[in-house]
Amino acid sequence: MNSLMNVSSGSAGLLVWLVWALIGVFGAFVAQRYTGGRRTLAFDIIIGGVAAVLGGWLSTQFLGDSAVQLFLLSVLSAVFFAAAALMLVGWLISHFSRDEEDDG
């Protein structure tokens, strides 16, 4: 059980990866709520999940000393990366869809 929750600069346990992925899924649901369904939920889940996992993993590679500190920083990084990616993708979609409407 300890290896499932292990967090070190070289590796992360399965439960830590799942926490990062769930943060991304939760972020996707929040984004869907605020965008009014202009994007598909599956698209938001993929973007949020990938960004959260990437942010969590990158933070374990470069930040923190102890296991608790690594875990907390990785969770905060996962939240930040998921929110930033969903916001950036939403902005890009609205920007380019506005350009297409102006051209037509």
Side-chain angles (χ1 to χ4, degrees):
M1 184 71 171
N2 192 24
S3 65
L4 291 176
M5 297 184 298
N6 182 32
V7 180
S8 66
S9 62
S11 67
L14 178 64
L15 291 178
V16 176
W17 287 89
L18 288 174
V19 166
W20 296 336
L22 287 175
I23 288 170
V25 169
F26 179 74
F29 281 113
V30 171
Q32 274 293 304
R33 178 78 175 145
Y34 285 105
T35 59
R38 286 177 271 171
R39 302 184 306 244
T40 63
L41 180 61
F43 180 73
D44 280 344
I45 288 175
I46 291 169
I47 297 298
V50 168
V53 168
L54 181 65
W57 180 77
L58 283 173
S59 69
T60 62
Q61 300 302 311
F62 300 110
L63 303 172
D65 293 325
S66 67
V68 173
Q69 189 180 29
L70 276 171
F71 177 72
L72 292 175
L73 287 173
S74 73
V75 167
L76 288 174
S77 295
V79 169
F80 175 76
F81 270 70
L86 287 166
M87 187 173 63
L88 179 67
V89 168
W91 179 80
L92 288 172
I93 288 174
S94 69
H95 177 74
F96 287 114
S97 66
R98 224 179 301 133
D99 286 347
E100 289 176 3
E101 290 173 4
D102 292 342
D103 292 339

